[in-house]
Amino acid sequence: MENIDRLNQVFKYIESQLQKEIDMQTIAHIMCENRESSERIFKFITGSTIREYFKSRKMSMAALELCKKGAKVVDVATSFGYTSSQAFARAFRNYFGFSPREIKNDKNSLKLFPPFFASIELNREILHFKIVQQEALTLFGQSITIKDGDTGAAARAFWKSFDKSKLSNPYFGFAAEKKDEDEYFIASSSPFEGCEEILFPASKFAVFTFDRNVIESEKISQIFKYWINESGLEVNHAIPRLEKYNNESLEIFFPVREK
């Protein structure tokens, strides 16, 4: 446990330095190791060198700042320790594959690199997301009504019993909350026997992409809770969360709005 506590102190130190620079000797001192040993241990635990990890966290936080309303590239560059907006733009493009000014383009998917936290079970993953202004969707689906129950459990049971061969790819799922009950829909972009037409409202969404074969629903909620706290946005509770199922991937559309 002592080693885990030291690692978490290193991660906290790196977070405190994202707008400055890290000192490798300070990290070695925190870990009670020499520089070479501390870097070797760090890479073994995280899969990244200390510099790679620092760069990924710096770029992730800079990207989130740029997503905020009214953010200017030059201000973000300065706040994260770059001597010029050009130097920041080069580093940003090298990491994300597009320029800081293109960040609000719906076609650009951001790689969000969350902070590591060491525990007995050490695991983490890079998050892929984008901000989109989604137009209203005309869907065709069937639904169940859920009263005084676990909406998640009822939705899973609905999916298990549903004949998905009726659905065209991709297909969708979402829950509509009402005063005394919830309604969960399974839907497709094409009509099928026994369906009803549904107009899913237009909204701004934060869209996260996952491997649908390995992601757990509980982890999705944890991931979004972390992201929304860092993003400068807030949840738009007037719009349902939309699940979009492709062959191997799952896209979760979280409705968001400016604070």
Side-chain angles (χ1 to χ4, degrees):
M1 290 296 293
E2 186 176 343
N3 289 335
I4 289 176
D5 289 341
R6 287 173 182 165
L7 275 170
N8 284 327
Q9 289 178 38
V10 171
F11 297 133
K12 288 179 181 178
Y13 166 73
I14 292 174
E15 290 299 302
S16 72
Q17 299 297 114
L18 293 180
Q19 295 179 319
K20 304 172 188 175
E21 187 51 76
I22 53 173
D23 179 67
M24 302 298 286
Q25 195 59 47
T26 298
I27 291 174
H29 177 74
I30 293 171
M31 294 181 69
C32 298
E33 301 281 353
N34 59 42
R35 282 188 56 169
E36 183 178 339
S37 295
S38 62
E39 292 195 56
R40 186 173 64 251
I41 293 169
F42 189 94
K43 186 170 184 178
F44 176 79
I45 294 296
T46 67
S48 304
T49 67
I50 295 173
R51 289 288 179 189
E52 288 169 344
Y53 177 89
F54 177 69
K55 179 181 178 181
S56 294
R57 286 295 301 137
K58 182 187 282 278
M59 287 292 101
S60 292
M61 295 308 294
L64 287 174
E65 286 296 315
L66 287 169
C67 286
K68 294 180 180 179
K69 187 176 182 180
K72 296 181 179 179
V73 173
V74 64
D75 293 338
V76 174
T78 301
S79 68
F80 280 88
Y82 287 88
T83 56
S84 69
S85 58
Q86 292 82 5
F88 172 68
R90 283 195 300 273
F92 192 93
R93 181 180 287 279
N94 287 338
Y95 187 77
F96 288 109
F98 53 87
S99 75
R101 298 187 187 280
E102 297 174 300
I103 196 168
K104 296 188 178 180
N105 185 331
D106 292 353
K107 296 179 181 178
N108 292 327
S109 181
L110 289 171
K111 295 181 296 182
L112 179 62
F113 194 89
F116 203 103
F117 177 78
S119 64
I120 299 301
E121 296 181 2
L122 295 165
N123 56 73
R124 68 192 310 282
E125 57 189 91
I126 295 175
L127 309 179
H128 295 267
F129 79 97
K130 57 185 176 181
I131 305 295
V132 302
Q133 185 64 47
Q134 178 68 51
E135 296 180 352
L137 293 173
T138 299
L139 301 175
F140 302 89
Q142 294 177 339
S143 66
I144 56 169
T145 299
I146 306 165
K147 294 184 178 181
D148 301 322
D150 185 336
T151 301
R156 289 191 291 273
F158 188 29
W159 275 110
K160 189 173 181 179
S161 64
F162 195 89
D163 181 8
K164 289 187 278 295
S165 66
K166 299 189 294 186
L167 303 173
S168 60
N169 195 56
Y171 45 89
F172 304 84
F174 64 92
E177 296 183 4
K178 299 181 180 179
K179 184 176 181 181
D180 299 315
E181 61 189 28
D182 290 342
E183 193 170 12
Y184 187 85
F185 290 86
I186 293 177
S188 171
S189 55
S190 301
F192 57 89
E193 184 179 352
C195 72
E196 61 176 299
E197 184 174 319
I198 309 157
L199 183 64
F200 194 89
S203 180
K204 176 184 283 189
F205 292 93
V207 184
F208 289 78
T209 303
F210 304 97
D211 183 338
R212 58 180 293 189
N213 296 314
V214 298
I215 191 65
E216 301 171 359
S217 58
E218 293 80 6
K219 181 174 283 189
I220 292 174
S221 298
Q222 292 171 2
I223 285 169
F224 182 69
K225 183 178 180 181
Y226 158 74
W227 179 85
I228 197 70
N229 288 337
E230 300 284 356
S231 69
L233 301 170
E234 64 182 7
V235 180
N236 182 358
H237 293 288
I239 306 294
R241 187 185 83 173
L242 181 67
E243 307 153 7
K244 182 179 179 181
Y245 296 86
N246 298 292
N247 289 328
E248 298 295 331
S249 67
L250 166 63
E251 290 182 290
I252 304 291
F253 288 67
F254 290 98
V256 295
R257 63 189 176 194
E258 303 289 345
K259 287 184 177 180

